[in-house]
């Protein structure tokens, strides 16, 4: 089922998510819904709090338009190692019509559980490394705009307020 994606400045996006203790049918249904919602949007990643569920699970698919889908599901993901620097443009399904460059690590190692409860490790670089950092941030209530400089963030907030007023 496609779920509604919450958008900035919805306060639900600022809440910290809790670890998943049991991978049961409702968690598997949540994951299916998240993947469906991400592909429908379309986006390259989605974290559970973006659909108002404060549990630590993310889905990512960075495969290109002409490539077969390559879905990553990470339950309770943890960045165990990070190195290098990246400064790439990011967007977010929860921050529509806005993109900005964000400082991230260029390479990360992520450990998580897969939907079968098996431990998985990803060595990620480039777009995948950025996607992991962006989605894991969501689990801690952090949006990519929170990483911007004070000046850039103020410009963004002004733009968002204006867009909200025009939408009324
Ligand atoms: Ni996002």
């Amino acid at each position: 089922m496609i779920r509604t994606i919450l958008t900035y400045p919805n306060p639900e996006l600022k809440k910290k998510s809790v670890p998943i203790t049991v991978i049961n049918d409702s968690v598997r249904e949540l994951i299916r819904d998240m993947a469906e919602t991400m592909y429908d949007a379309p986006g390259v990643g989605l974290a559970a709090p973006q659909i108002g569920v404060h549990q630590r699970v993310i889905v990512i698919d960075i495969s290109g338009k002409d490539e077969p889908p390559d879905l990553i599901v990470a339950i309770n993901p943890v960045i165990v190692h990070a190195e290098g620097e990246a400064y790439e443009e990011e967007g977010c399904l929860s921050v529509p019509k806005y993109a900005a460059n964000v400082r991230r690590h260029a390479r990360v190692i992520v450990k998580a559980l897969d939907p079968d409860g098996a431990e998985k490790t990803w060595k990620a670089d480039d777009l995948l490394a950025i996607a992991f950092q962006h989605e894991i941030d969501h689990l801690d209530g952090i949006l990519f705009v929170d990483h911007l400089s004070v000046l850039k963030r103020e410009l963004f907030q002004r733009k968002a307020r204006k867009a909200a007023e025009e939408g009324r």
Side-chain angles (χ1 to χ4, degrees), residues 4 23 25-26 28 32 54 58-59 61 71 106 108-109 139 148-149 151 168:
T4 303
I23 303 170
D25 283 346
S26 77
R28 280 184 282 269
R32 273 198 303 275
H54 294 92
I58 61 174
V59 293
D61 189 338
L71 179 66
V108 293
I109 298 175
L139 303 180
L148 302 179
S149 68
L151 186 68
R168 245 180 252 148

Side-chain angles (χ1 to χ4, degrees), residues 55-163:
Q55 298 193 28
R56 300 187 80 86
V57 54
I58 61 174
V59 293
I60 293 172
D61 189 338
I62 57 154
S63 64
K65 240 185 245 163
D66 303 320
E67 293 170 335
D70 184 15
L71 179 66
I72 291 172
V73 177
I75 297 167
N76 301 338
V78 177
I79 294 170
V80 295
H81 181 75
E83 61 175 38
E85 280 178 30
Y87 188 59
E88 297 294 330
E89 190 176 81
E90 293 183 30
C92 178
L93 295 174
S94 292
V95 187
K97 295 177 196 158
Y98 186 76
N101 281 53
V102 179
R103 287 196 194 287
R104 301 277 190 191
H105 290 290
R107 291 170 296 281
V108 293
I109 298 175
V110 176
K111 282 187 190 287
L113 298 177
D114 74 8
D116 298 317
E119 269 187 45
K120 281 205 74 170
T121 302
W122 290 269
K123 271 187 147 182
D125 57 12
D126 297 325
L127 179 56
L128 184 58
I130 289 168
F132 267 121
Q133 291 168 85
H134 178 120
E135 299 311 329
I136 292 171
D137 263 359
H138 274 299
L139 303 180
D140 293 316
I142 298 165
L143 299 176
F144 80 96
V145 291
D146 295 323
H147 289 288
L148 302 179
S149 68
V150 174
L151 186 68
K152 272 195 188 166
R153 199 163 54 238
E154 277 172 5
L155 282 170
F156 159 72
Q157 285 163 342
R158 203 176 306 158
K159 212 175 154 186
R161 269 197 302 273
K162 212 176 147 201

